[in-house]
Amino acid sequence: MLKLFTSSASRVQHLTPAIRVGSSPVESPLFKALSQITGWNRRSGSLGHRAFFCSEPTDGEAAAEVEAKAVESDSEGSDSKSSSAIVSTNPRPEDCLTVLALPVPHRPLFPGFYMPIYVKDPKVLAALQESRRRQAPYAGAFLLKDDPSADSSSSTDAEKNINELKGKDLLNRLHEVGTLAQISSIQGDQVILVGHRRLRITEMVSEEPLTVKVDHLKDNPFDMDDDVIKATSFEVISTLRDVLKTSSLWRDHVQTYTQHIGDFTYPRLADFGAAICGANRHQAQEVLEELDVHKRLRLTLELMKKEMEISKIQETIAKAIEEKISGEQRRYLLNEQLKAIKKELGVETDDKSALSAKFKERIEPNKEKIPAHVLQVIEEELTKLQLLEASSSEFNVTRNYLDWLTVLPWGNYSDENFDVVGAQKILDEDHYGLSDVKERILEFIAVGRLRGTSQGKIICLSGPPGVGKTSIGRSIARALNRKFFRFSVGGLADVAEIKGHRRTYVGAMPGKMVQCLKSVGTANPLVLIDEIDKLGRGHAGDPASALLELLDPEQNANFLDHYLDVTIDLSKVLFVCTANVIDMIPNPLLDRMEVISIAGYITDEKVHIARDYLEKTARGDCGVKPEQVEVSDAALLSLIENYCREAGVRNLQKQIEKIYRKIALKLVREGAVPEEPPVAIDPEEAEIVADVGESPENHTVEENPVSSAEEPKEVAQTEKIAIEKVMIDESNLADYVGKPVFHAEKLYEQTPVGVVMGLAWTSMGGSTLYIETTVVEEGEGKGGLNITGQLGDVMKESAQIAHTVARKIMLEKEPENQFFANSKLHLHVPAGATPKDGPSAGCTMITSLLSLATKKPVRKDLAMTGEVTLTGRILPIGGVKEKTIAARRSQIKTIIFPEANRRDFDELAENVKEGLDVHFVDDYGKIFELAFGYDKQED
């Protein structure tokens, strides 16, 4: 061991083990230099300790004592007279009283350290070269002060400012205390300086280059035997040793320092510690300017302690990161080794081989059915997959692409049902009515049976909400024995949802149709596209235009998805679209679809649907048994007429579910259903309970812990529940569903003068409305017409036309009657809060005006609809079925339709037309006879 013995201390300082090379111990130059600091031999009072370094025997020779170089200090304790590695010069360093002033931008130069600087000024560079030629290679290195007007964070700007400073400006920016530096070498504009001793600027000699007079500074006298200085120096050495352990570069500084300066002393120890630590420029300059050795050691010790704390934090951070990285690397290496072992044993192949095998296994059974162009793309992508690295992003893109290509059902079709009778039975089981839709599906099956194969079609079901458009799609799929897939396009504003994303995008996916084929596993499913009249349009394109290719029978045989980038045959797919209002569907898209209108249900149809479908479903969902409840026909009829007048049955379903929920609550409250599940009993106990139920007074069972008095009570309660039923009729219906929502649309038993019932179409079905007219003011020349009822522009124009036609007819019928010329009239269409528009109320308005003019009411069971021209011609209207249903609901017997709508009325079901007296007219004259000629007909 390398040991240090001092004459002033009995303790032994163990610095470090000797560095061994082979079998021979070799003293480390780093710790040899450091150990010289602590040994000062007393020679004659003021001399320091002598240090002795002992080492183990080398090559069998006995250990020899090596006397260290004595460090001599004068009374000021300044310069060392020991040997130095610095090249001797003439003149000597202490003879340099005038030097070039070189600015140092970042940190001060300490004695014994190298520092490269860049000199951009040619004059300064030439002066430095001249000094070297004259064997006086010395200059002064002075730290640059901060520029208060500049941004300290910009080092580039600071260097530019240094190059621009000259003369006095440069002198004012320099610290007074600097370092005498020997010019070691000059390479281009780079100058290598080696620090020697401290200097202080006294005055300026010349400006270009800046030359100054200097004083050589010496350390203040200090006591070498001062215990405080010793303790401080030992602490500096201890801290320095810990700091030097963290970096081999700093260890080299020790060797270089001793080569150029000589042995360590207390002042040099302070300089060395301040130079190698990471202190800022101001703290380092403070150490350089301090001439008191004890204070300098304390400043250095503070800086090195901070350096130690920073080193500890750095070590903690580095250790945490190293542990994380090493853990990930360890996991990666173990996984790779596991893969290699499995591959060697044949247990598992690598990822790429396994993926390729999986994809080939998928396509092998249907390889003959896959189109040639698709098969070619799959083979190319499989080859590409083998060439890619598993960690690359392109590998994942290719893998996902192959996954989609191989999972699609190329050429796989489900066996279709061509049995018309069986399909009819399935459709009737699920839905009541809807004869048009069922007839079209049966036609589709019949054509497929005759051809031996079926083609895809595009059918659009339009009608108000709740009529069964969406639910019948599933029934059609079941009737055809096809897979069913539904997706809604309501509010869809992105073309990529239909056509897919490009594979170059992150998270790209195919469109809905490719996802459909993957989900169902067949190439001929029934696809229900819901809410096609509510397509959106945004920045990502127009989905309605994208649907043109999908729903075109001539194009969808080669449908191209952006993600797959290969054509797909969708010609066998049966598309069923649903819409509430077909006017909202773009015309090019509507032209590709076969529209089937579902107008709604009349009261009789709703009663059948409620009995056969809705009531059974609600009863099962609520857990109520059929024998526990009975809903009368009168209650159902009242529920439909007073609560659920809409065209569909969705609201009717909600009301029926509401009734059965309240019945379930009532049964539970009355104890009809036990709160806890019944406990299973043995057959013998069941017989005993049965006997007790028959004659409880003749049987007593002592073994049963339940008293015989309690058992008959429970059984009696069960009998009570089995007998009693919850009856729902018209009288107590309001207790379950609340007060009626609708009242009778027929406001008048006997229609008054000026009031006529019309028929209207709404998105919820048909409705009746009254046209009311009254006289506001009479007087010569005061004829006019006011219109109210929140009417649209078209309906306002119809009112003006009706007023004109009515005046014309009145002149023809009663030329002497000046009613319209001298009467200011007010026409109103209730209800005022409901917006109304359309031309079909023209004939109704004329009849209302003529009724007021002739003071004759129209017949009480009459309703009419039709658009009127100025010549009195009656034009066709829409919504014949809805308006007919509305008339039946209001108990109207006589209806007037335009002649052009006769064909529409003839297509209605017989149960809709039954009991109605319908007249078809093409001129208003016939309406006049029907509305006001009832007296003659009765006579």
Side-chain angles (χ1 to χ4, degrees):
M1 293 294 290
L2 184 64
K3 302 175 182 178
L4 173 64
F5 299 93
T6 66
S7 59
S8 60
S10 60
R11 62 191 179 95
V12 178
Q13 179 89 9
H14 295 275
L15 295 178
T16 184
I19 300 174
R20 293 182 178 272
V21 181
S23 61
S24 302
V26 180
E27 292 179 354
S28 170
L30 165 65
F31 291 105
K32 178 180 178 181
L34 280 180
S35 27
Q36 290 175 357
I37 301 169
T38 62
W40 310 105
N41 182 30
R42 297 182 185 270
R43 288 186 176 177
S44 56
S46 62
L47 292 179
H49 306 293
R50 177 181 295 272
F52 297 93
F53 296 90
C54 300
S55 60
E56 296 176 359
T58 304
D59 297 332
E61 298 179 354
E65 291 187 355
V66 181
E67 181 176 352
K69 297 177 181 180
V71 180
E72 298 179 0
S73 300
D74 55 11
S75 60
E76 293 80 18
S78 59
D79 300 329
S80 172
K81 296 179 181 180
S82 60
S83 62
S84 174
I86 297 177
V87 180
S88 62
T89 58
N90 187 21
R92 294 178 302 172
E94 55 267 24
D95 297 333
C96 297
L97 301 178
T98 303
V99 295
L100 288 172
L102 300 178
V104 179
H106 304 299
R107 283 176 61 88
L109 174 62
F110 282 90
F113 282 86
Y114 283 99
M115 176 178 285
I117 64 171
Y118 292 90
V119 180
K120 301 295 183 182
D121 192 341
K123 294 182 179 180
V124 177
L125 196 60
L128 293 174
Q129 292 172 347
E130 181 65 23
S131 298
R132 292 197 71 196
R133 283 194 293 269
R134 289 189 291 105
Q135 295 297 316
Y138 292 100
F142 299 93
L143 181 66
L144 199 68
K145 296 179 182 178
D146 291 335
D147 186 1
S149 62
D151 183 8
S152 61
S153 64
S154 178
S155 60
T156 306
D157 295 342
E159 292 178 2
K160 291 181 180 178
N161 294 335
I162 294 172
N163 297 329
E164 294 174 0
L165 293 175
K166 305 291 182 184
K168 290 184 179 181
D169 294 336
L170 179 59
L171 181 63
N172 294 333
R173 289 287 305 280
L174 297 179
H175 284 277
E176 290 184 357
V177 177
T179 308
L180 179 66
Q182 180 178 341
I183 304 169
S184 176
S185 65
I186 300 176
Q187 298 178 357
D189 59 352
Q190 186 185 54
V191 179
I192 306 297
L193 303 178
V194 182
H196 273 262
R197 59 181 62 193
R198 287 169 170 79
L199 299 175
R200 185 189 302 276
I201 299 175
T202 57
E203 61 176 306
M204 182 176 67
V205 177
S206 62
E207 293 191 3
E208 287 196 30
L210 180 62
T211 307
V212 295
K213 285 186 178 181
V214 295
D215 286 341
H216 292 256
L217 302 179
K218 296 182 180 180
D219 295 331
N220 296 337
F222 64 95
D223 184 5
M224 298 291 295
D225 296 327
D226 187 277
D227 292 337
V228 177
I229 294 180
K230 286 181 181 180
T232 307
S233 64
F234 287 149
E235 185 63 27
V236 171
I237 292 172
S238 176
T239 307
L240 185 62
R241 181 177 57 188
D242 294 336
V243 172
L244 293 177
K245 288 180 181 178
T246 61
S247 174
S248 60
L249 178 62
W250 289 349
R251 298 172 191 171
D252 297 338
H253 280 315
V254 179
Q255 186 176 6
T256 306
Y257 188 84
T258 56
Q259 289 174 357
H260 289 279
I261 292 298
D263 299 329
F264 278 96
T265 63
Y266 289 146
R268 290 172 184 169
L269 177 64
D271 291 343
F272 181 81
I276 68 170
C277 68
N280 59 45
R281 51 191 295 183
H282 302 294
Q283 294 172 334
Q285 180 66 25
E286 186 179 357
V287 175
L288 184 67
E289 293 178 357
E290 184 58 60
L291 299 180
D292 187 284
V293 175
H294 178 239
K295 290 183 179 179
R296 192 190 304 169
L297 284 170
R298 288 185 62 84
L299 289 174
T300 300
L301 183 59
E302 291 178 5
L303 297 180
M304 296 188 68
K305 289 294 184 181
K306 292 181 181 178
E307 188 71 21
M308 276 301 301
E309 293 299 323
I310 295 174
S311 298
K312 289 179 182 178
I313 296 173
Q314 179 183 358
E315 184 179 355
T316 303
I317 295 173
K319 185 177 181 181
I321 295 176
E322 183 179 357
E323 288 178 356
K324 181 178 179 182
I325 294 175
S326 62
E328 293 177 354
Q329 290 178 343
R330 174 181 172 82
R331 191 180 300 109
Y332 175 76
L333 291 174
L334 289 175
N335 285 331
E336 291 299 320
Q337 291 175 0
L338 181 63
K339 291 178 183 177
I341 293 171
K342 287 185 176 180
K343 186 176 180 180
E344 193 70 23
L345 295 175
V347 177
E348 183 180 303
T349 58
D350 60 351
D351 289 344
K352 291 191 287 187
S353 301
L355 284 173
S356 298
K358 182 181 74 172
F359 294 143
K360 290 179 180 178
E361 184 181 352
R362 282 183 183 176
I363 64 174
E364 194 62 34
N366 301 321
K367 200 167 185 179
E368 297 179 355
K369 299 179 182 179
I370 300 177
H373 67 283
V374 177
L375 201 58
Q376 180 181 358
V377 172
I378 293 176
E379 295 294 340
E380 292 174 355
E381 292 297 322
L382 284 173
T383 305
K384 178 181 176 182
L385 187 70
Q386 294 296 325
L387 300 176
L388 293 173
E389 289 294 332
S391 59
S392 66
S393 59
E394 186 67 20
F395 180 85
N396 292 327
V397 173
T398 305
R399 181 187 62 187
N400 292 336
Y401 182 47
L402 280 170
D403 189 24
W404 280 101
L405 277 178
T406 55
V407 80
L408 292 181
W410 302 102
N412 289 337
Y413 300 101
S414 59
D415 296 331
E416 292 198 57
N417 174 31
F418 292 128
D419 183 7
V420 176
V421 178
Q424 175 80 52
K425 183 178 180 182
I426 292 173
L427 293 173
D428 290 339
E429 285 177 358
D430 295 340
H431 289 81
Y432 182 84
L434 302 178
S435 57
D436 293 345
V437 181
K438 295 177 180 178
E439 190 72 17
R440 181 64 187 88
I441 299 305
L442 295 178
E443 292 171 1
F444 177 82
I445 295 174
V447 171
R449 181 172 183 176
L450 293 177
R451 291 187 56 189
T453 182
S454 61
Q455 291 296 114
K457 290 293 180 182
I458 297 93
I459 299 172
C460 179
L461 306 178
S462 68
V467 296
K469 300 184 299 296
T470 303
S471 60
I472 199 173
R474 195 179 300 274
S475 298
I476 295 173
R478 193 160 70 94
L480 296 175
N481 195 28
R482 291 195 178 201
K483 297 289 186 179
F484 178 77
F485 185 85
R486 171 192 172 273
F487 70 94
S488 177
V489 295
L492 187 68
D494 191 357
V495 174
E497 293 290 333
I498 306 296
K499 299 276 290 181
H501 301 83
R502 302 284 181 186
R503 291 199 304 276
T504 53
Y505 298 142
V506 176
M509 288 188 64
K512 285 292 185 183
M513 278 312 303
V514 177
Q515 297 178 36
C516 160
L517 296 179
K518 177 185 177 182
S519 176
V520 299
T522 61
N524 63 336
L526 186 146
V527 179
L528 180 70
I529 304 177
D530 224 350
E531 310 293 350
I532 199 170
D533 59 329
K534 299 175 181 62
L535 279 169
R537 185 171 185 174
H539 67 279
D542 184 11
S545 301
L547 283 173
L548 294 177
E549 179 185 2
L550 180 64
L551 299 181
D552 191 343
E554 301 298 326
Q555 299 182 44
N556 60 14
N558 295 301
F559 177 74
L560 182 65
D561 185 89
H562 290 161
Y563 182 86
L564 294 184
D565 207 23
V566 293
T567 57
I568 306 172
D569 184 10
L570 301 178
S571 60
K572 303 292 185 181
V573 179
L574 176 59
F575 292 96
V576 178
C577 308
T578 67
N580 295 124
V581 183
I582 60 174
D583 296 339
M584 304 296 293
I585 304 175
N587 286 332
L589 187 59
L590 185 63
D591 184 61
R592 287 162 168 78
M593 298 186 292
E594 181 180 348
V595 180
I596 300 177
S597 298
I598 304 176
Y601 301 104
I602 61 175
T603 302
D604 295 342
E605 291 175 335
K606 285 186 178 181
V607 171
H608 281 92
I609 293 171
R611 282 293 187 200
D612 299 339
Y613 303 96
L614 304 181
E615 192 178 0
K616 292 180 180 179
T617 304
R619 189 189 302 126
D621 292 343
C622 295
V624 179
K625 297 179 180 179
E627 61 271 12
Q628 292 178 316
V629 63
E630 181 179 349
V631 181
S632 65
D633 292 339
L636 275 181
L637 187 61
S638 177
L639 185 67
I640 294 169
E641 292 290 344
N642 299 326
Y643 296 87
C644 310
R645 286 189 180 180
E646 67 281 345
V649 294
R650 185 171 291 129
N651 190 35
L652 179 60
Q653 180 183 3
K654 294 177 182 177
Q655 296 295 340
I656 293 176
E657 289 176 352
K658 185 177 181 180
I659 291 173
Y660 275 92
R661 286 198 305 270
K662 290 187 177 296
I663 292 173
L665 178 60
K666 183 177 181 180
L667 292 174
V668 173
R669 281 179 174 173
E670 293 179 355
V673 180
E675 295 183 0
E676 297 181 356
V679 180
I681 59 176
D682 295 336
E684 297 179 358
E685 295 179 350
E687 293 177 0
I688 295 172
V689 173
D691 294 340
V692 173
E694 293 174 4
S695 56
E697 67 279 3
N698 298 328
H699 295 79
T700 58
V701 182
E702 297 179 358
E703 294 82 359
N704 196 335
V706 180
S707 64
S708 58
E710 293 178 354
E711 292 179 356
K713 183 177 179 181
E714 295 179 358
V715 178
Q717 185 180 4
T718 306
E719 291 180 354
K720 181 180 179 182
I721 296 167
I723 295 172
E724 287 190 357
K725 280 187 178 182
V726 178
M727 296 295 298
I728 306 295
D729 55 16
E730 192 173 2
S731 61
N732 63 352
L733 181 64
D735 298 337
Y736 293 89
V737 293
K739 296 181 179 179
V741 178
F742 299 100
H743 300 282
E745 291 184 358
K746 194 171 183 181
L747 300 179
Y748 308 101
E749 287 296 328
Q750 177 60 47
T751 308
V753 173
V755 178
V756 181
M757 180 182 286
L759 300 174
W761 177 91
T762 67
S763 60
M764 299 291 291
S767 175
T768 59
L769 76 166
Y770 284 94
I771 306 294
E772 301 177 344
T773 310
T774 186
V775 178
V776 178
E777 186 180 2
E778 288 185 340
E780 187 174 354
K782 292 187 176 182
L785 180 65
N786 289 338
I787 306 169
T788 58
Q790 202 172 348
L791 309 183
D793 293 337
V794 176
M795 203 164 183
K796 289 178 180 178
E797 292 177 358
S798 296
Q800 295 296 333
I801 294 172
H803 189 245
T804 302
V805 174
R807 294 186 67 172
K808 176 185 175 183
I809 293 174
M810 201 62 194
L811 286 174
E812 293 176 356
K813 299 291 184 179
E814 300 179 12
E816 69 283 356
N817 192 334
Q818 298 297 317
F819 176 79
F820 290 107
N822 300 327
S823 302
K824 186 175 182 180
L825 307 178
H826 184 178
L827 187 146
H828 176 67
V829 184
T834 305
K836 312 169 190 70
D837 203 2
S840 62
C843 63
T844 313
M845 292 179 177
I846 295 175
T847 306
S848 175
L849 292 170
L850 291 177
S851 172
L852 190 63
T854 58
K855 295 182 175 53
K856 292 180 62 177
V858 298
R859 55 194 302 173
K860 61 181 180 180
D861 60 345
L862 176 67
M864 62 187 70
T865 180
E867 180 182 355
V868 180
T869 66
L870 279 175
T871 59
R873 300 292 298 175
I874 306 299
L875 302 182
I877 46 86
V880 172
K881 181 177 181 180
E882 290 85 349
K883 293 179 179 180
T884 304
I885 293 173
R888 288 182 62 89
R889 189 166 57 239
S890 298
Q891 300 177 357
I892 298 299
K893 302 298 182 183
T894 305
I895 305 175
I896 299 176
F897 281 130
E899 179 66 35
N901 290 112
R902 183 187 292 271
R903 178 178 57 85
D904 299 327
F905 183 81
D906 292 341
E907 292 178 354
L908 299 180
E910 291 299 328
N911 60 344
V912 177
K913 298 187 290 183
E914 184 181 359
L916 294 177
D917 182 16
V918 181
H919 300 271
F920 299 96
V921 298
D922 55 4
D923 185 80
Y924 184 78
K926 297 180 181 179
I927 297 178
F928 188 85
E929 294 296 331
L930 291 169
F932 301 107
Y934 55 89
D935 292 338
K936 296 179 181 179
Q937 292 177 3
E938 290 177 359
D939 295 341

